[in-house]
Amino acid sequence: MWSSSPGLHSAEQLRETAAAPERSGHRFLWSVRNPAGNPNLVEILPEGFLERTKDRGIVVRSWAPQLEVLGLEAVAGFVTHCGRSSVMEAVASGVVMIAWPLYAEQRMNKIFLVEEMKAALPLNAAEGGFIRHWLERWVRELMDSNTGREIRRRVAEMKASAAAALGENGNVRACFA
């Protein structure tokens, strides 16, 4: 699942982003809004993108119910801006992440997710914020490699801990022990 916050990505960055799920070969759901000043998302995306990916990708041109989507069994990974709620929802749902922070505390959250929790792969944008090749690489790494399998194992453990902590007679403090 990809999620693009409104007004934070330029049309050029959205074109770059679109190239990654298309080239990765994996199924995807991308929740994206038009960038400010451009009312037609179809004009922004690479020519033919929607047609070429229609059998394995869904582009939601507005808000998507993130927690509900993360809870679907078919969702195996999540490109996230590393906001606290998004991270908590992903971990509680057992979904591994590709960390792409945009601003403020999200950058520290990324460090914690990648280096401390080992629950995500980092996405480091190139100059100008362009990420196509990195994002494509990390999607493949997350889905097809031993590193990805290890991250999925760790996040599954975290999901079980969160469920136990939130369940009847659970202890939230146990999640952070």
Side-chain angles (χ1 to χ4, degrees):
M1 174 181 173
W2 268 261
S3 179
S4 295
S5 300
L8 297 174
H9 299 290
S10 68
E12 198 171 1
Q13 286 171 318
L14 290 176
R15 277 190 292 280
E16 276 286 306
T17 301
E22 180 175 11
R23 292 172 44 129
S24 76
H26 290 282
R27 294 174 48 191
F28 67 92
L29 180 144
W30 183 18
S31 173
V32 61
R33 295 183 190 172
N34 296 337
N38 194 328
N40 191 346
L41 183 64
V42 175
E43 290 177 3
I44 294 169
L45 296 174
E47 188 174 335
F49 171 79
L50 294 172
E51 180 63 30
R52 288 189 305 274
T53 61
K54 71 180 180 185
D55 293 333
R56 63 182 179 83
I58 298 171
V59 177
V60 177
R61 299 179 205 179
S62 64
W63 177 85
Q66 182 172 291
L67 184 57
E68 192 175 321
V69 171
L70 289 170
L72 297 172
E73 190 175 322
V75 176
F78 175 41
V79 178
T80 178
H81 65 314
C82 302
R84 185 180 68 193
S85 293
S86 293
V87 168
M88 296 296 280
E89 290 172 356
V91 169
S93 299
V95 176
V96 297
M97 295 161 273
I98 295 176
W100 184 12
L102 300 174
Y103 53 82
E105 82 287 349
Q106 296 170 358
R107 290 185 178 98
M108 275 311 289
N109 293 350
K110 170 191 165 187
I111 292 168
F112 188 69
L113 276 170
V114 172
E115 296 178 16
E116 298 296 323
M117 294 175 66
K118 300 188 184 338
L121 292 172
L123 183 61
N124 300 312
E127 189 174 324
F130 300 111
I131 48 82
R132 173 190 356 188
H133 300 294
W134 280 104
L135 183 53
E136 178 186 341
R137 174 183 170 203
W138 286 130
V139 167
R140 289 175 192 232
E141 181 84 10
L142 200 60
M143 303 302 288
D144 301 329
S145 75
N146 288 336
T147 301
R149 279 186 279 286
E150 178 60 20
I151 291 172
R152 285 194 302 278
R153 184 195 64 74
R154 294 227 353 105
V155 172
E157 288 175 358
M158 290 176 202
K159 176 184 179 181
S161 292
L166 295 172
E168 190 173 327
N169 300 319
N171 181 353
V172 165
R173 290 191 175 117
C175 285
F176 302 102

